[in-house]
Amino acid sequence: MFPHHREREQPIFSARAHVFQIDPTTKRNWIPASKHAVTVSFFYDATRNVYRIISVGGTKAIINCTVTPSMTFTKTSQKFGQWADSRANTVYGLGFATEQQLHQFAEKFKEVKDAARLAREKSQDKELANTALTIAAPQDLSDELQSPPVMCVNGPEDKLFRSQSADITLSSEKERIKKMLSEGSICEMNLEAELFTLQDSNSKLVAALHEANANVEQWKKQLTAYQEETERLRDQVADLEAHGPSDLLKDELTQSLEELEALLKAKDEEIHILQSKKAEYHEMEHQRDEAIHRLREMEMRNSDLERRIQNTEQNLSNSLEDRDRLDTEIQRAIEILDIKIFDLNDLRQSLVKLIDK
């Protein structure tokens, strides 16, 4: 069925874009329908007077959407646009390489939608006319077969009166149907616009929620660390209380006193040694000055090393930024190359068609 439609349909516009579909479960997130940029084309079926948007990825159709007058293509960013397909119960999103491509696709979408609206109005007028002819013919026949003999006295004037009444009824019914269709289209367009606005707000809220969740995780880790530290301190306090505060304090004072007495004895011995060895005292002062000088030199070297480390880290950061910028430029070049390859492919197909002709 699909190849048969493609034979009688003619492409009228094509563009390259990344295709997305709305998540059918959450109706919030976008699901990529193609790994790379694919061709998205408008097709016109002259036999059925129908416009369709078709995109094929590999061997399956990614987009197979019939354009209706109620559809609206909305630009949600500089390079992204979307529209809803009520028949497929989904929302399609297209990401373009440039803002100009998005603008061209949006203009073509509006043009095709207007053409579909005109085609629907013509089809409705034709159906109403056929319905009027179908209703009028059996009515005349039944009137001739089943009307009382008294009504046949008027002859052609009675038939003319009935034909005029049928025309007035059909005209009023036609206007009522058009009014209902226009009101339904306006309501549907307003609902789609409101839906897209809510989806945009919802995406912003989801991003804010993710950021808040990340902060909450960090706060939870800090709270866990604080709780562990509190438990450790509580254990220490419990241990101190279990040993008894007075005994503990007494033991600490006794130990401090013994340390001070030992330190005092050591200092007395040092004084006796220094008094007996005054010559060595001056040498020790000289060694102390040298040690202080070496310590200062080490501190200067340390500060120099820290400065070098900072410069190295800055150079590393600059190198990483240069690499990221180079990766971005390479990605952009790859996208441009994909577009050029697509253009060359279209040119090749056009040349093959010219050669075949």
Side-chain angles (χ1 to χ4, degrees):
M1 181 178 179
F2 184 70
H4 177 69
H5 284 305
R6 292 294 299 271
E7 289 178 359
R8 69 186 185 185
E9 290 180 338
Q10 296 296 328
I12 57 177
F13 179 81
S14 297
R16 295 278 292 182
H18 292 271
V19 180
F20 300 85
Q21 279 186 295
I22 202 71
D23 190 351
T25 304
T26 62
K27 298 294 184 180
R28 296 178 178 179
N29 301 324
W30 289 107
I31 299 176
S34 61
K35 296 182 179 179
H36 306 287
V38 295
T39 303
V40 182
S41 303
F42 286 92
F43 283 83
Y44 174 63
D45 187 354
T47 305
R48 298 186 302 160
N49 200 12
V50 172
Y51 294 87
R52 289 201 301 164
I53 302 175
I54 296 175
S55 178
V56 179
T59 59
K60 67 176 184 178
I62 300 175
I63 301 176
N64 187 6
C65 172
T66 301
V67 180
T68 61
S70 61
M71 289 182 178
T72 302
F73 185 82
T74 305
K75 299 179 183 178
T76 57
S77 66
Q78 293 182 352
K79 298 180 182 180
F80 192 88
Q82 62 187 30
W83 80 95
D85 186 0
S86 58
R87 295 183 179 179
N89 193 21
T90 187
V91 179
Y92 294 104
L94 298 180
F96 296 87
T98 61
E99 185 177 359
Q100 182 180 3
Q101 293 180 358
L102 173 61
H103 179 71
Q104 291 177 353
F105 188 90
E107 292 295 325
K108 180 56 68 174
F109 194 100
K110 183 176 181 301
E111 178 182 346
V112 170
K113 184 181 74 170
D114 294 338
R117 179 178 57 80
L118 294 175
R120 174 177 287 186
E121 290 178 356
K122 291 180 180 179
S123 177
Q124 289 175 354
D125 293 340
K126 186 181 296 184
E127 289 177 1
L128 288 173
N130 293 333
T131 304
L133 292 174
T134 305
I135 293 173
Q139 184 178 0
D140 293 339
L141 181 59
S142 62
D143 288 340
E144 290 177 0
L145 293 175
Q146 300 178 5
S147 296
V150 177
M151 298 298 296
C152 294
V153 175
N154 294 330
E157 294 180 358
D158 180 58
K159 293 183 180 181
L160 179 61
F161 174 75
R162 292 182 181 181
S163 177
Q164 290 176 353
S165 300
D167 292 339
I168 294 173
T169 304
L170 289 174
S171 299
S172 61
E173 186 68 18
K174 178 181 176 182
E175 294 296 330
R176 188 177 66 84
I177 292 173
K178 284 185 176 180
K179 184 177 179 181
M180 291 174 62
L181 290 173
S182 62
E183 290 177 354
S185 300
I186 292 172
C187 292
E188 188 174 355
M189 291 171 63
N190 293 332
L191 289 175
E192 288 181 356
E194 185 176 358
L195 175 61
F196 294 145
T197 304
L198 291 175
Q199 287 176 349
D200 189 18
S201 301
N202 189 28
S203 62
K204 293 180 181 178
L205 289 175
V206 169
L209 181 60
H210 287 322
E211 185 177 359
N213 288 334
N215 294 331
V216 167
E217 291 296 330
Q218 185 177 1
W219 295 338
K220 284 183 179 179
K221 292 180 181 178
Q222 293 179 357
L223 179 60
T224 303
Y226 293 154
Q227 289 176 348
E228 292 177 354
E229 183 67 18
T230 303
E231 292 296 331
R232 187 179 65 80
L233 293 175
R234 286 179 179 176
D235 293 338
Q236 291 182 357
V237 172
D239 293 338
L240 292 175
E241 290 178 352
H243 290 86
S246 59
D247 295 337
L248 179 61
L249 182 59
K250 183 178 179 180
D251 293 337
E252 289 180 354
L253 291 175
T254 303
Q255 184 178 359
S256 300
L257 182 59
E258 291 176 354
E259 290 177 355
L260 289 174
E261 288 178 352
L263 181 62
L264 182 59
K265 289 180 181 179
K267 293 297 181 182
D268 289 337
E269 291 177 358
E270 288 179 1
I271 289 172
H272 290 297
I273 293 172
L274 289 174
Q275 287 178 352
S276 62
K277 297 180 180 180
K278 292 182 179 180
E280 295 179 359
Y281 177 76
H282 295 289
E283 185 178 356
M284 290 177 65
E285 285 185 346
H286 180 68
Q287 291 178 357
R288 185 191 66 180
D289 293 335
E290 289 181 352
I292 292 173
H293 181 68
R294 287 197 298 271
L295 180 61
R296 290 178 179 175
E297 288 181 353
M298 293 296 294
E299 289 177 351
M300 293 176 63
R301 291 180 182 178
N302 189 20
S303 61
D304 187 29
L305 288 174
E306 288 179 352
R307 187 170 58 254
R308 290 182 181 179
I309 290 172
Q310 291 178 357
N311 293 332
T312 303
E313 290 178 350
Q314 183 66 30
N315 293 333
L316 179 60
S317 177
N318 294 333
S319 299
L320 291 175
E321 291 178 357
D322 293 337
R323 189 185 67 180
D324 293 338
R325 185 165 54 253
L326 183 60
D327 291 340
T328 303
E329 292 177 357
I330 291 173
Q331 187 65 28
R332 189 180 303 153
I334 291 173
E335 292 178 356
I336 295 174
L337 184 60
D338 288 339
I339 295 173
K340 296 297 183 182
I341 291 174
F342 169 72
D343 295 335
L344 290 174
N345 191 16
D346 288 344
L347 179 60
R348 183 179 65 82
Q349 292 179 358
S350 300
L351 291 175
V352 169
K353 291 180 179 179
L354 289 174
I355 292 173
D356 294 336
K357 290 179 179 182

